[in-house]
Amino acid sequence: MQNTLRTMRMSTRRSRSSSAPIAAAKEEQNKNLAAQDDVPTKSFTFDNESFYATYQEMVAAKRRRNLEMLIQSGLVDAKAAIDSTVAAKRASPAAMAKGIKRSNASEINKNLPRRKSSRLSGESAPKIFVESESGGRIQTSGIDHGMEEVIEYEPQYYNGRVNDGSPLTIEHAVKNCGVKWINDDGSTMLAANQFVETLSSVVSEYSGGQCNASPTTVTHSLQKDVDALSLDDGSNVAKVTPDRIYSVECHPSPHCLIVCAGDKLGYLGIWNVDQYNTGSDESSKRGKISTNDGVHLFKPHSAPISTLSWNESGSKLFSCSYDGTVRILDVEKQVFQEVFATYNDEDIYKDKIGFGLDTRFNTWVQCMELDHRHGRDGNCFFLSTSEGNVLHIDTRAKGQVTLNQKLSEKKINTVSLHPNGYTMATAGLDTTVKLWDIRKMSRTSNKIHKTPIASQNAGKSINSAYFSPSGKRIVTTTMANTIDILEDAHLASGLITKPKTRIRHDNMTGRWLSTFMAKWHPSPSTFSDECFVVGSMVHPRTIEVFSGDSGKVLRGIQGDALTAVASRCCFHPNADKLVVVGGNSSGRVTVAR
């Protein structure tokens, strides 16, 4: 036991004596570390020359170095100049939105009381019931109903049309647009009425007919006029319709530029581009005329307006719609008059021109072509339907259908009449351009007419096929991504195996854009060569003008004013200058001139 205690005491003494030098060494090391902390360590560098104590100081130095390099290179000044230019363009009146504008919904509803149910308001049920309903009138009665009340509701017209076929006044056509597009102060209605009066004076000033060059007039240089077109002026763009544009057309007067556009919902927008004769000074001072920058909106139809066409005198604007109606804006009478409408075979429609022509749900009128054989007033026209029929309507006297032939099993997209007056071209979903001699057709037939004088197969559906003003050529726009030019097709017979010119062209506009339809310049004697215009899917956005003779692109018109695909395009029928108009799927119209 004693030996054990002695051993423990000795080991304790040895441990105490050995720990003293270790403690001294640790104290010396701590002093050295404290001394090193007082001296900063420069361990961060990026150019092998400068050292920084912290990472943040190194990053700040890098940023200062980069900024100095940018300033020396001139990129900072260049960016500032570009930013100022863009800001100036955005602030300029030319780049601001022109055309129709929605009314402020909050202003419309601000005075209306808050809606509340009868239960929340503590009111008891009125205990009334419908006693009878007839002729668009509902008659109610009940225990707590002291007297009978007659409630009238909006009548429903055939096929959802805007009215029963009676003439539509300018006021009604504007009211059909709804409160969204009408100003509360009455300026919209006033501007529309005064514009139609202005249009009447334009028609009176216009001598009538297309502007044909006199024999002594030298024809214009087409290439020179095309090169002069510009799309850089923002004032030549305006929102003309609320929805996707299906058709565009220009008034034939050479004294002004009036553009018409029809959209998917049946709206008709008319844009007085140059504010020609915009009414009295007093009205202008009140700001009534220029409410929508010369754009006036009407609603004569309830479905897409597929075709717009002025007669030669410029006094009537024909509009054809998928709702099965054809209306005329009569400038002199200042009404939208219905001249044709399709109906089913019910007895109540027996006295209508279109009785029995509406056969089922998916039947509609696809396009219209004025018949130039019957004078400048446009009393007669051709129609094509979704079922493959072609109609000829004579609106003189009481009106009648003088031709009703089934020419295809599928929808016919376009009908075009040759200047000779008897050769007609049809094209549509059956992938074939067909030429017919209408002199050899009977008045009506329910069977498919199988004897075209000539035909040409495109392989896929055809959006449009139009004769040129001279009748020498046909231009077709196909979903096979081609534009074909046929020459002297009216003189051919049998199958036309190959077009004279085939142009590769991207026509895949997709679901949300209107299809491309190449259209000729309507004045044959203005230029040394026939030309046509068509939209394009090219970036930046482009409107293309082609030569009818060679099929070459005369020019792809581009500019700051064209920001979307112009699916539907046309020329102004003016002999003095070349004007191109394009409408896109947001309702905007762009003018190149």
Side-chain angles (χ1 to χ4, degrees), residues 398-417:
K398 294 184 179 180
Q400 58 180 332
V401 179
T402 58
L403 177 69
N404 183 6
Q405 285 285 339
K406 189 170 181 63
L407 302 182
S408 175
E409 284 283 4
K410 298 181 179 181
K411 180 179 69 172
I412 296 177
N413 284 327
T414 59
V415 176
S416 183
L417 186 65

Side-chain angles (χ1 to χ4, degrees), residues 193-260:
N193 283 321
Q194 293 192 353
F195 167 72
V196 176
E197 294 176 2
T198 298
L199 194 56
S200 180
S201 65
V202 171
V203 173
S204 300
E205 185 178 355
Y206 177 43
S207 59
Q210 291 184 346
C211 306
N212 296 323
S214 61
T216 58
T217 302
V218 178
T219 56
H220 294 212
S221 169
L222 178 58
Q223 187 64 61
K224 183 178 179 181
D225 281 19
V226 171
D227 291 340
L229 294 174
S230 173
L231 278 173
D232 294 324
D233 189 355
S235 63
N236 285 331
V237 184
K239 186 171 177 62
V240 179
T241 62
D243 213 289
R244 183 201 308 186
I245 291 178
Y246 271 58
S247 54
V248 290
E249 189 69 14
C250 295
H251 190 275
S253 172
H255 309 299
C256 62
L257 180 55
I258 297 176
V259 179
C260 309

Side-chain angles (χ1 to χ4, degrees), residues 102-297:
R102 294 186 181 186
S103 299
N104 192 342
S106 61
E107 292 293 328
I108 296 174
N109 299 322
K110 65 180 181 180
N111 296 324
L112 296 178
R114 182 180 178 181
R115 296 182 61 184
K116 188 184 295 186
S117 68
S118 300
R119 179 181 63 83
L120 294 177
S121 60
E123 298 177 1
S124 60
K127 299 180 181 179
I128 62 174
F129 60 90
V130 176
E131 183 172 333
S132 64
E133 179 180 358
S134 64
R137 297 165 64 88
I138 299 176
Q139 189 170 359
T140 63
S141 60
I143 298 175
D144 295 339
H145 203 51
M147 57 182 297
E148 294 184 348
E149 180 182 3
V150 175
I151 302 174
E152 296 189 10
Y153 60 89
E154 193 71 23
Q156 298 295 317
Y157 300 110
Y158 184 87
N159 202 19
R161 294 168 185 168
V162 295
N163 69 357
D164 58 359
S166 58
L168 196 66
T169 63
I170 299 299
E171 289 79 6
H172 287 154
V174 174
K175 287 180 180 178
N176 286 343
C177 298
V179 295
K180 183 189 294 185
W181 305 105
I182 301 176
N183 294 333
D184 294 337
D185 58 2
S187 59
T188 305
M189 194 73 68
L190 176 63
N193 283 321
Q194 293 192 353
F195 167 72
V196 176
E197 294 176 2
T198 298
L199 194 56
S200 180
S201 65
V202 171
V203 173
S204 300
E205 185 178 355
Y206 177 43
S207 59
Q210 291 184 346
C211 306
N212 296 323
S214 61
T216 58
T217 302
V218 178
T219 56
H220 294 212
S221 169
L222 178 58
Q223 187 64 61
K224 183 178 179 181
D225 281 19
V226 171
D227 291 340
L229 294 174
S230 173
L231 278 173
D232 294 324
D233 189 355
S235 63
N236 285 331
V237 184
K239 186 171 177 62
V240 179
T241 62
D243 213 289
R244 183 201 308 186
I245 291 178
Y246 271 58
S247 54
V248 290
E249 189 69 14
C250 295
H251 190 275
S253 172
H255 309 299
C256 62
L257 180 55
I258 297 176
V259 179
C260 309
D263 80 349
K264 178 181 178 180
L265 302 179
Y267 290 92
L268 170 65
I270 305 181
W271 180 20
N272 190 359
V273 180
D274 296 323
Q275 288 285 295
Y276 180 87
N277 256 355
T278 50
S280 63
D281 294 337
E282 182 182 353
S283 298
S284 298
K285 290 177 182 178
R286 294 200 307 267
K288 302 298 185 182
I289 300 302
S290 59
T291 303
N292 289 331
D293 306 301
V295 179
H296 308 279
L297 189 64

